[in-house]
Amino acid sequence: MLTKIKAIAKTFGGLLYFFLVAAAVQTFVFIFAMQKPLTPENATDKLAASVFPLAALIYSIIQSGTFISYALVRRRKQTDYIAVKVPAGRTFLYIPFIACLLLFVSSLFSNLLVFLAKNYAFFQSALEEYNNMILQKINPFAPITILSVVILVPIAEELFFRAMVIGELKRFFPLPAVCFISACLFALAHWNWLQSAYTFVAGLILAAVYVWTDSIFYSILLHGFFNLLGSMLPYWINQLNFADAEVIFNLLIILFAVVGYVYLRKLYRNYRHLQDLKLHTSENEGAD
């Protein structure tokens, strides 16, 4: 028992170390990003518009390199450390719809905080900080934004919050608890109450999908689509020249979210079916 407690403490200590290192790198590069914010006065300044995605790019490359190196070492001792199964091709068609479900559920929490911000100074400051840090600091049409926000950041975050956290903790705790811890860390890493609220929900679904598909590739693609929808599509919709564009956009998100929920349940049923088959096979082997 004492040996297990020491192993758990050592594991949490290692995760905390990586988390703090990643946080330090993230803080450093984003402080750099805040030096020249994109404002209405310099809206045409390409440098100001690219500082935030450049910071995200630097952060994600450093974090990805660190976690990949560590994972390669760990896989020598624990072969199932990172789930790298390639799901059936048709299941990849589910990703845009499940991403819409992520966006819809996350938006509910965000809208709740926006409502609270109208009445409570604490939530108002969080909303203002989020707007200043994110929404006014990227050009969604720039290639560097697509590279960093849609591709590299999802890779970096999935490698840590899904592959590494779940890979380490599933040795000691049941998978639902591990997914919850993964989502909590994912939320804390965003440092802003508004982001933390919706990233916690997104983190729960991403962790569940990672477990159910047994694939880091699936969760990376899902995370990338989620970032695409949440960070870029609203800007594109605003460019449309008719008044009901936002209404149509929201209705489509709701419709696709319903389809995404159906697909998410299907992934879970497939996962349960495989688990039952493994249990049945194990019982037969034990009987022999």
Side-chain angles (χ1 to χ4, degrees):
M1 183 65 180
L2 184 60
T3 302
K4 184 177 181 180
I5 293 175
K6 288 182 178 179
I8 293 175
K10 183 178 179 180
T11 299
F12 271 105
L15 289 175
L16 180 61
Y17 169 78
F18 276 102
F19 183 81
L20 291 177
V21 169
V25 173
Q26 184 186 55
T27 301
F28 175 79
V29 295
F30 285 104
I31 286 177
F32 164 74
M34 293 298 291
Q35 298 303 309
K36 193 172 185 180
L38 185 63
T39 64
E41 290 74 21
N42 66 351
T44 59
D45 189 334
K46 293 183 179 180
L47 177 60
S50 63
V51 167
F52 182 85
L54 177 60
L57 185 148
I58 296 171
Y59 152 72
S60 58
I61 290 176
I62 294 174
Q63 183 167 303
S64 297
T66 303
F67 297 152
I68 289 173
S69 300
Y70 180 78
L72 290 175
V73 174
R74 287 293 285 116
R75 275 180 62 84
R76 296 173 187 172
K77 299 179 180 180
Q78 184 182 345
T79 55
D80 64 340
Y81 186 74
I82 298 181
V84 292
K85 177 182 177 182
V86 179
R90 66 180 181 278
T91 64
F92 285 108
L93 299 176
Y94 304 169
I95 288 176
F97 298 100
I98 299 177
C100 288
L101 175 63
L102 273 173
L103 182 63
F104 174 71
V105 176
S106 300
S107 296
L108 292 180
F109 281 81
S110 298
N111 289 333
L112 173 61
L113 283 183
V114 171
F115 171 77
L116 292 173
K118 296 178 180 179
N119 300 285
Y120 300 97
F122 173 79
F123 293 101
Q124 184 178 7
S125 63
L127 180 61
E128 290 174 355
E129 179 186 349
Y130 177 76
N131 287 335
N132 291 333
M133 184 177 67
I134 302 293
L135 298 181
Q136 297 181 22
K137 294 182 65 60
I138 64 172
N139 175 2
F141 306 102
I144 191 174
T145 301
I146 298 173
L147 178 62
S148 61
V149 175
V150 180
I151 299 175
L152 292 180
V153 168
I155 291 174
E157 293 186 339
E158 291 307 302
L159 284 173
F160 178 66
F161 295 105
R162 255 57 67 182
M164 186 174 180
V165 171
I166 294 176
E168 292 285 348
L169 297 183
K170 70 182 180 182
R171 297 178 294 154
F172 308 109
F173 305 105
L175 283 173
V178 172
C179 291
F180 179 81
I181 295 172
S182 169
C184 288
L185 291 175
F186 186 52
L188 287 173
H190 288 80
W191 306 113
N192 178 276
W193 285 104
L194 177 61
Q195 282 185 293
S196 295
Y198 72 75
T199 52
F200 172 75
V201 180
L204 279 177
I205 298 177
L206 285 166
V209 166
Y210 173 68
V211 171
W212 295 344
T213 61
D214 199 27
S215 174
I216 190 64
F217 306 117
Y218 203 101
S219 64
I220 287 173
L221 286 173
L222 179 57
H223 194 155
F225 265 93
F226 174 61
N227 283 5
L228 175 69
L229 291 172
S231 300
M232 302 177 70
L233 278 186
Y235 290 91
W236 290 336
I237 296 299
N238 288 336
Q239 303 301 313
L240 299 178
N241 295 320
F242 57 93
D244 296 328
E246 185 175 355
V247 174
I248 295 174
F249 168 71
N250 289 328
L251 289 175
L252 287 175
I253 289 296
I254 293 172
L255 175 62
F256 292 161
V258 172
V259 178
Y261 175 75
V262 173
Y263 283 147
L264 192 64
R265 285 182 57 84
K266 188 171 184 178
L267 289 179
Y268 175 70
R269 288 197 299 268
N270 291 341
Y271 168 74
R272 291 304 311 168
H273 177 66
L274 290 175
Q275 293 302 111
D276 291 340
L277 285 178
K278 290 179 181 178
L279 179 61
H280 182 68
T281 302
S282 177
E283 290 176 347
N284 289 340
E285 291 176 351
D288 294 340

